[in-house]
Amino acid sequence: MRLTGQVGVVTGAGRGLGREIAAALAAEGMSLLLLSRTGAEVNVLAEELAARHGVKALPAAIDVTDAAAVDRVVMHAEQHLGTVDLLVNNAATIEAREVPFWECDREDVWRVVETNLRGPLLMTRALLPSMVQRGHGRVVNLASRARAATLSGTYTGYAVSKRAVSLFTESLVEPLRGTGVVVLDVLPGLVRTDLTLSMPVWDDVTAWDDASATATVVADIACGSYDDRHGQVLDAPALAGGA
Ligand SMILES: NC(=O)c1ccc[n+]([C@@H]2O[C@H](COP(=O)([O-])OP(=O)(O)OC[C@H]3O[C@@H](n4cnc5c(N)ncnc54)[C@H](OP(=O)(O)O)[C@@H]3O)[C@@H](O)[C@H]2O)c1
């Protein structure tokens, strides 16, 4: 139990990679704020993690694009769990239809950009001040090579928002150097989740990457194993394979 006494926040914790990441952090003893819009999913997960690992797990149903809700939930977590050591910006979404940009639904593309970019910006803005003030904290952004977009010219909102999040990570590297706060991108590979199963481009995939690779890397980040790689992109399947 390497993370007993520490507090983490995982967005999009209800299913997919977020759920795996939350479980790996709880298994190390970390108390958690679990966020998603679907309250039922994070409620069940919080009960499971508390029962299995004896950690405090606080579920909250919020949309990460709602600035007031983000600020409220961060304050709530700090009151009930303590100051936050780790933020995992995992929540994301993708366009409903796999079509070229010139055929897209403009509102759907913007919904994707807002979730995937505004969400991490708001969450990080809410949590970084106390991390910098304490001289301790870690921020993990879930990155993507957005291969579907470059392969097929589709999912433009997903591709541009994911690139933008990586640029956001880069933009924090120099300002945070020496503050005790570390920021990293993690690449999960191609993992079978609701998100990838909604994408016809991956219909024929049979060899999926394992979600546990990403969960392990994030837990190791939380333990400080990658502090010397501040600002870098960690390829989870490659690290799990010993690269
Ligand atoms: N799966 C892959 O192969 C892959 C590859 C590269 C990168 N990634 C990245 O890994 C992360 C997780 O992806 P995933 O495949 O696990 O996705 P997923 O299975 O679709 O899960 C996404 C999670 O985000 C939550 N979410 C979506 N919109 C939200 C919002 N506005 N506010 C709060 N929560 C929201 C969802 O819950 P609600 O709908 O209940 O809110 C859900 O819990 C994403 O950042 C994705 O870009 C995934």
Side-chain angles (χ1 to χ4, degrees):
M1 296 276 245
R2 298 176 292 171
L3 296 171
T4 304
Q6 293 205 34
V7 177
V9 177
V10 181
T11 69
R15 56 181 184 271
L17 284 157
R19 190 183 164 89
E20 296 283 332
I21 291 166
L25 295 170
E28 294 284 0
M30 187 171 238
S31 295
L32 293 171
L33 173 66
L34 306 169
L35 303 177
S36 80
R37 289 167 307 173
T38 311
E41 289 184 344
V42 279
N43 289 344
V44 169
L45 180 65
E47 277 179 23
E48 272 178 33
L49 296 182
R52 194 176 314 148
H53 303 293
V55 297
K56 284 189 196 166
L58 205 63
I62 68 152
D63 187 323
V64 290
T65 66
D66 179 341
V70 165
D71 288 347
R72 261 197 318 272
V73 87
V74 163
M75 206 183 297
H76 185 67
E78 284 172 341
Q79 277 166 4
H80 289 84
L81 300 174
T83 44
V84 174
D85 301 285
L86 173 76
L87 165 63
V88 185
N89 282 314
N90 167 80
T93 190
I94 197 158
E95 281 91 338
R97 291 194 311 133
E98 190 172 280
V99 290
F101 180 68
W102 57 92
E103 292 173 21
C104 74
D105 172 343
R106 293 171 297 187
E107 294 311 316
D108 195 39
V109 171
W110 194 244
R111 172 190 67 84
V112 171
V113 173
E114 277 212 313
T115 301
N116 300 1
L117 180 57
R118 181 174 162 86
L121 292 177
L122 291 178
M123 291 299 308
T124 309
R125 177 66 183 84
L127 283 161
L128 260 188
S130 65
M131 289 183 178
V132 171
Q133 198 185 7
R134 289 168 70 210
H136 169 76
R138 298 181 178 100
V139 177
V140 177
N141 290 322
L142 271 285
S144 169
R145 294 199 177 97
R147 278 174 293 165
T150 46
L151 280 174
S152 62
T154 59
Y155 302 118
T156 309
Y158 184 80
V160 300
S161 57
K162 282 293 167 182
R163 286 279 167 88
V165 166
S166 291
L167 187 56
F168 173 47
T169 303
E170 273 181 60
S171 78
L172 291 172
V173 174
E174 285 313 314
L176 288 177
R177 203 179 291 287
T179 63
V181 182
V182 167
V183 60
L184 288 156
D185 271 2
V186 171
L187 279 171
L190 188 61
V191 179
R192 197 169 190 273
T193 64
D194 285 359
L195 189 143
T196 45
L197 288 175
S198 77
M199 302 166 71
V201 67
W202 302 134
D203 276 355
D204 297 331
V205 171
T206 50
W208 297 92
D209 290 305
D210 199 333
S212 67
T214 298
T216 301
V217 167
V218 175
D220 288 344
I221 289 172
C223 294
S225 307
Y226 292 105
D227 284 358
D228 59 343
R229 295 184 64 172
H230 175 54
Q232 293 186 17
V233 182
L234 303 184
D235 183 327
L239 288 167

